[in-house]
Amino acid sequence: MRVFYSVFMKEIITFLRSWGLVAVVLYSFTLDVYIAGSGLVITPRNVTVGYVDEGNSITAQKILAKLHPPEFQKPKRFLSQKALLDAIFDKKIMVGIIFPKDFEKKLANHDHPQIPIYLDSTAASQAYITLVYLQNILLDFSMSQKLFDLKIHKLFNQNSDSKMFISFVEMLSVITMLGIILTAIVFVKEKEDGTWDILLLTPAKSSHIIFAKAFSQVTIMLGGIIIALGFVVLEVFQAPLNGSFWAFMLLSILYLLTLAGIGLFIAAASQTIMQVAQLSMLIAMPLIFLSGAWTPIYSMPTFLQKLSLISPLRYYIEGSESIFFRGTGWEDLWGYFVGVTILGIITFWYGYKKIGKLF
Amino acid sequence: MRIGAIKAYLLKEFKELIRSRLIILIYLVPTMILLLFGYGIRLEVKHTRLVVVDEDRSTLSMKLLQNFTHSKYFQILYTTTSYQDALHKIKQAKADVILIIPADFEKNLFHTHKASLAIFIDGAFPLRAMTMQGYVEGALINAMEDFAQKYNIAMHHIAIVQRNLFNQAMRDENAIVPGLIGLVLLVAPALLAALLIVKEKEYGTIFNFYSSPLTKSEFLIAKLLPVFLLHSLNIFILFLWSTYLFVVPFRGSFWLYWLSSEIYILISLSIGLLVSIITNRQIVAVVLTLIITIIPGFLYSGILMPISSMQGESYIEAHLFPIMYYNQIAYDTFLIGQGLASQKNLLYLGILILYSIILLTLGSLLMKKGMR
């Protein structure tokens, strides 16, 4: 136990003394999360609209007046259909609306006027949302009153504030990348600096050294998570914490152990820090992108859905989303705990065996 | 310029790339990024999991639900009568949307022409929630128009004749994959070019070059030509993945795509060259290159947000980075097919050429033979 403690403390102190590493970790957990949260806005904004009004109708102006910021830019008038299409082909305009000459007349005669709309659907989801928005506006003109009165409620995040969500997911990605790299580095640094042989000479048991080194990095990561949560995610972006904080911490510890296992495996396979960087990228990127962070799992192709079952990040992300936003209670979270624990035990055991062979 | 010396150095570079197995990464990483991002980032949501709380259980409510069952955007998980039960499903992350049809839905619709529906959407992921809201509204608006026509409810109906240009089926793959090629071809060559030079610096073998009669331009050609040639092959590999695996249509001229991609690779490897001048450690070079290329590459690629809807500083910043110009051409060759007939494409191709010349000259001027 004394060996464990001294190796553990040695790693923590080494970490704190290498200011470059401290700076990188602090940057990733604070500024990086902040930049991602404040920079990425994916909802349709400032959609450019162009129109041709052949009949100079009043209704057309009324309809256009409903397209306002922040969703739409002020509609631009084009003199001919061709000019409008050219602008769309040059990607200057995203939505083109054409009001035909007899539009006003037909509307007055209840004659079902038609409005051709051209959508640049190279940005598919924005085009779709824009279309629905337009349909809604036109429907107001079509009927004196709508048949259905839709009461739409977005649970957990009524205003669709994407900042807190993106900063949260970015934090989870940072945890994944750093959790793997830090653990791998504490071993490979010894290899690179030539102090590995000293490790082999010490009377301490190899298992103590491995566990102490791995746990020291888990502790550092936990510190990072608390900093990221306290300063950025909960403080700046005001993410809600609807569930239990301790459930999240426990899930994080289990997940960090899984990452440490992957880190051990990488440490066994690589000789230089450069190799660590390459290998961790190769492993972490699939983990992040196939975890359901950006695409819902059920929208993926079937074989990827099956593959995502063995991604620990899948359970971690879904679990922590549920804890933070959905406020799910312990009784419904056990699935995530079981998933992370089983994968954690397997990867840690595998990594431990791999690195143990080097002692 | 001595061809023999360059040839010898080139041979050394290729052998080193193959022996250090870096060659695997050169072809694995671009493909991996394309596949991961292509599958991993979907802005559209298919098969939204819908739970219906149908308290009305009338013919009309059944008809309404048919609008959802026949759509690729929805799957009705099940119909229940308990709101608590449905909410629990959302908390367990097993459902996304609850549609509540109140008990007097049919009666109200026939008597007063006004019925209300309540919709609850899991808003944990805001963008996904907005997209799902769009789908639900779209389906319900369609249903409304159907009802109005069927039961002769007075309305002057304005029909939208909608044409989706360039991407008729509104497939997400078409919208994302061409943009990804621009991202990959920006990141990968820059990374390799930076590594090839910084590696020598870190190992100290750069002194072989400093002390050899090899001139600066010969050294640059020997270092950058392998990157250029090896990544030229990636242009074709990425093209094949896009058209065969992701089934993205290709409507433009392949020559334009090829030519602009080669120029774009030149830009990218010049960025790598510039990075290699200011760094001495491989790990720093990797981090720096990734920061310079990935973040603007992603933000200004037009994948997440069309450039035309950017405003203020981000609109200006987008014009400073090369990816915007390349992606305009990439999207054009894949989806639009105007080619050089469009003035804008011609202009952007010119800008790319100018960009590559400036960066290459800058890089070779700043590169010094000898210790700084």
Side-chain angles (χ1 to χ4, degrees), chain A residues 73-220:
Chain A
Q73 285 180 26
K74 200 175 175 311
K76 259 192 213 127
R77 180 161 191 172
F78 287 83
L79 290 177
S80 72
Q81 203 159 329
K82 195 179 165 301
L84 178 63
L85 275 178
D86 279 349
I88 295 180
F89 272 80
D90 274 347
K91 293 199 148 223
K92 285 184 187 135
I93 294 287
M94 252 187 82
V95 184
I97 310 174
I98 290 161
F99 297 101
K101 225 175 205 142
D102 49 359
F103 173 68
E104 190 90 58
K105 212 169 78 192
K106 276 192 173 176
L107 195 66
N109 295 342
H110 292 246
D111 203 11
H112 298 280
Q114 291 187 333
I115 302 181
I117 288 183
Y118 293 92
L119 280 174
D120 168 7
S121 47
T122 45
S125 71
Q126 272 134 343
Y128 190 88
I129 294 182
T130 312
L131 184 69
V132 171
Y133 204 91
L134 281 171
Q135 271 182 326
N136 251 328
I137 292 172
L138 288 179
L139 213 62
D140 283 343
F141 279 88
S142 305
M143 294 184 215
S144 46
Q145 65 172 21
K146 284 188 187 174
L147 289 180
F148 303 162
D149 181 21
L150 301 183
K151 291 198 180 70
I152 297 181
H153 248 283
K154 287 195 211 96
L155 300 164
F156 322 125
N157 188 353
Q158 178 61 21
N159 299 326
S160 274
D161 174 0
S162 62
K163 288 181 176 176
M164 56 184 171
F165 178 78
I166 288 179
S167 66
F168 182 70
V169 170
E170 178 65 16
M171 182 183 80
L172 301 189
S173 309
V174 166
I175 294 173
T176 308
M177 282 301 281
L178 281 185
I180 295 176
I181 290 180
L182 282 186
T183 317
I185 280 184
V186 278
F187 288 94
V188 176
K189 218 166 134 43
E190 308 253 10
K191 283 190 190 174
E192 223 183 42
D193 294 347
T195 47
W196 185 260
D197 295 333
I198 300 178
L199 269 188
L200 295 182
L201 286 175
T202 49
K205 265 205 214 145
S206 63
S207 62
H208 284 165
I209 298 178
I210 296 172
F211 273 108
K213 274 176 176 286
F215 279 113
S216 66
Q217 301 309 308
V218 170
T219 315
I220 291 171

Side-chain angles (χ1 to χ4, degrees), chain B residues 185 189 224 228 260-272 352-353 355-357 359-360:
Chain B
L185 289 184
L224 298 183
F228 182 73
S260 50
S261 303
E262 296 283 13
I263 296 167
Y264 189 58
I265 287 182
L266 276 183
I267 294 178
S268 165
L269 56 86
S270 322
I271 294 176
L352 280 180
I353 295 174
Y355 215 117
S356 65
I357 293 174
L359 282 187
L360 259 183

Side-chain angles (χ1 to χ4, degrees), chain B residues 290-328:
Chain B
L290 289 183
I291 289 177
I292 295 177
T293 53
I294 281 200
I295 293 173
F298 212 67
L299 286 181
Y300 305 127
S301 59
I303 299 176
L304 295 177
M305 190 179 208
I307 307 284
S308 62
S309 39
M310 287 181 177
Q311 280 189 331
E313 44 189 313
S314 58
Y315 184 78
I316 298 167
E317 274 168 44
H319 283 74
L320 291 179
F321 290 98
I323 187 158
M324 185 195 103
Y325 304 104
Y326 176 74
N327 270 8
Q328 160 78 20

